[in-house]
Amino acid sequence: MTVNYSLAAATAKWTNFFKLLIRWRGSLWKLVIFEYIAWLFWTIALMLLAEFFVLETSLEKPLRDLTHFFQRNDIGTGLSFMLGFITPYCYQRWMDMYVLLEWPDNTAHVFNTCVQEDALTPKEMDKLRNCVARYLILAYIMLMRDVSVKGRKRFPTLEHLTHYGGVITGEEKELLGVGRIGAGDPHYWIPICWIITMVKKFYVSGHEQKKAKKDAKKVKSIMTEKHYKEFIYRLLKYRGDLGDVLSFDFVPMPLAQTQLITFVSTLYAILLTGQVMDMGFIERSFLQQSVWISLFYVSLKLLIYVGWVKSFEVIMNPFGEDDDDFDVSQLVDRHWQLLIRVMLDPVTVPPMTAACLPPAVLPHTLASRALMRERDDDLLLNSMIQEELLAQGQLPHDARV
């Protein structure tokens, strides 16, 4: 998953700034280190080359004019505008994709709510629960195999879901191949169809139940009509969200826009090199201290803009192998373990009791009691109530701001 630093930034202490700066995984330094070193090597090499082979030669004037042109024409403002415009869009796209990765245990809870256990024999109900749990995670895995690099590496073939994974049987694997539209088309929706077909097999509508009652037959439906509609709606929403994730993979950002940002950022790095070179020509030496100070300042500008561009590249597609990309493998493990727990091994519910009476005041620890010294007891009072208490002298005059 993405790099989590929420605890480090939970309290705004002055040391947090430095703690966040020295982090490496998912950091700015890790993203730009190779480009930054390459730019420094290139710029210093050009400075030394100009110092020993260009100054006081016929090449000095045309190169000085060129670097002076770079100094006068800075495209940093235009690059800032483009990045400021496109980065929020990419971030929103990144968040939308994560929100669409719906957790299958929501559907499992709906199934537990809607199903009537006595409609089937215990053995049949266990089989149904087993199939629903496996097919829910199977649809998730099938989608991740199509959009995520990590998902494809963990499940490169369907064999890794049968003999190695134990998620599906050999017969189910063959049916997956038969049901898909084409050899390269996604088929994550097939397990959803299997669940709908199985539940429909044991569902008896209200009209059929009335008809069976007239014929003196006892028919039990696995779900009521209302619950059946709710469960099918939930399944279709699950499939729809997975399909929307696939749509994000089908329709990436326009290539011309990405090319433009990459081209302008590369051109800007070249212009920054020209600015350092111009300072060297002005000083008539590239070994002066002022030239190296200019190199340091310009390198900080490069660090900012290259880091900006690299962060844009990271959030453009969160299904890769960057540190801040979605850890699909971890999500699959989490969903599978919870589905087994919810569908096949229900938690034990404690009995209702009135023996434990709720206390008037909840207890504090020593750590939480220390925080009460800064607590404002009047925080939850309405404005007019505070006004009346203040007029009656029941509140200190500094209680309101």
Side-chain angles (χ1 to χ4, degrees):
M1 292 296 290
T2 58
V3 179
N4 194 320
Y5 57 93
S6 300
L7 181 60
T11 305
K13 297 180 179 179
W14 68 273
T15 56
N16 289 355
F17 174 78
F18 301 99
K19 290 180 180 179
L20 292 177
L21 275 183
I22 62 176
R23 285 176 174 261
W24 175 253
R25 184 170 175 266
S27 66
L28 168 68
W29 326 115
K30 186 176 181 180
L31 286 176
V32 305
I33 183 66
F34 294 108
E35 290 85 353
Y36 186 73
I37 292 177
W39 182 86
L40 279 180
F41 178 81
W42 162 261
T43 304
I44 293 175
L46 287 180
M47 291 170 57
L48 297 178
L49 187 66
E51 174 71 23
F52 296 107
F53 298 101
V54 174
L55 290 178
E56 308 297 338
T57 66
S58 60
L59 297 176
E60 180 179 351
K61 186 179 184 307
L63 287 179
R64 184 175 66 246
D65 294 340
L66 179 62
T67 57
H68 188 61
F69 175 81
F70 289 162
Q71 178 69 25
R72 289 186 292 108
N73 296 274
D74 191 355
I75 61 174
T77 303
L79 181 59
S80 300
F81 174 78
M82 285 190 296
L83 290 174
F85 173 76
I86 197 64
T87 302
Y89 168 77
C90 289
Y91 178 75
Q92 186 61 46
R93 175 187 172 93
W94 183 81
M95 287 299 301
D96 289 343
M97 278 190 275
Y98 183 74
V99 171
L100 289 173
L101 289 178
E102 187 176 347
W103 291 10
D105 46 288
N106 294 336
T107 307
H109 286 303
V110 173
F111 179 84
N112 284 342
T113 303
C114 298
V115 71
Q116 301 188 67
E117 298 285 342
D118 57 347
L120 302 176
T121 63
K123 188 175 181 180
E124 288 179 328
M125 182 58 67
D126 289 342
K127 288 182 181 180
L128 180 61
R129 286 180 170 277
N130 179 285
C131 291
V132 172
R134 290 190 299 109
Y135 296 161
L136 283 176
I137 197 63
L138 177 61
Y140 195 92
I141 293 174
M142 298 301 292
L143 175 75
M144 293 300 106
R145 290 181 71 251
D146 291 335
V147 301
S148 172
V149 177
K150 296 178 181 178
R152 176 66 71 165
K153 283 188 174 182
R154 180 166 182 180
F155 305 102
T157 65
L158 293 181
E159 290 292 332
H160 291 80
L161 295 171
T162 55
H163 301 298
Y164 304 110
V167 179
I168 58 176
T169 63
E171 181 181 1
E172 290 169 341
K173 186 193 75 170
E174 297 298 328
L175 291 175
L176 280 174
V178 173
R180 69 190 310 174
I181 300 174
D185 293 317
H187 51 304
Y188 67 95
W189 48 271
I190 296 179
I192 305 297
C193 290
W194 291 349
I195 297 176
I196 294 176
T197 303
M198 285 189 304
V199 174
K200 185 178 179 181
K201 177 182 177 182
F202 300 108
Y203 168 70
V204 181
S205 65
H207 175 72
E208 292 175 341
Q209 289 183 5
K210 291 180 181 178
K211 184 178 179 181
K213 188 176 182 181
K214 291 180 180 179
D215 297 338
K217 295 181 180 178
K218 187 178 181 180
V219 179
K220 186 71 172 179
S221 176
I222 192 174
M223 295 177 184
T224 64
E225 185 172 353
K226 178 182 177 181
H227 287 162
Y228 178 74
K229 291 180 179 180
E230 184 177 351
F231 178 67
I232 296 301
Y233 170 80
R234 187 69 202 184
L235 273 178
L236 295 180
K237 184 179 183 304
Y238 180 60
R239 188 227 62 83
D241 289 345
L242 296 183
D244 288 342
V245 173
L246 194 64
S247 299
F248 276 106
D249 186 67
F250 284 157
V251 186
M253 289 184 55
L255 179 60
Q257 199 168 36
T258 305
Q259 287 177 333
L260 178 62
I261 292 178
T262 304
F263 173 76
V264 174
S265 60
T266 304
L267 180 61
Y268 184 68
I270 297 175
L271 292 181
L272 290 180
T273 301
Q275 293 178 12
V276 177
M277 298 291 292
D278 184 65
M279 177 61 69
F281 282 117
I282 293 175
E283 296 290 341
R284 304 293 303 161
S285 174
F286 289 88
L287 302 180
Q288 293 290 332
Q289 182 180 4
S290 58
V291 179
W292 292 95
I293 293 176
S294 176
L295 174 64
F296 173 74
Y297 170 71
V298 169
S299 67
L300 292 181
K301 294 173 65 177
L302 178 82
L303 187 69
I304 294 172
Y305 282 102
V306 172
W308 203 348
V309 173
K310 297 295 288 185
S311 62
F312 152 76
E313 293 176 355
V314 168
I315 63 178
M316 187 167 54
N317 184 4
F319 290 106
E321 295 184 289
D322 294 318
D323 290 339
D324 280 310
D325 286 339
F326 303 153
D327 194 341
V328 172
S329 181
Q330 183 180 3
L331 287 174
V332 168
D333 288 335
R334 182 261 172 205
H335 296 337
W336 178 238
Q337 294 170 7
L338 196 138
L339 280 175
I340 292 177
R341 184 68 171 169
V342 172
M343 298 292 291
L344 306 179
D345 187 20
V347 296
T348 303
V349 180
M352 292 187 295
T353 179
C356 181
L357 297 177
V361 178
L362 294 177
H364 275 277
T365 63
L366 293 177
S368 66
R369 188 174 292 276
L371 299 176
M372 294 181 62
R373 301 170 186 171
E374 303 176 359
R375 190 174 71 177
D376 185 3
D377 293 330
D378 307 317
L379 179 64
L380 300 181
L381 293 179
N382 299 103
S383 301
M384 299 310 299
I385 299 298
Q386 293 188 32
E387 184 73 21
E388 293 180 6
L389 294 178
L390 187 65
Q392 297 173 7
Q394 299 184 28
L395 286 181
H397 289 284
D398 59 348
R400 283 190 309 143
V401 178

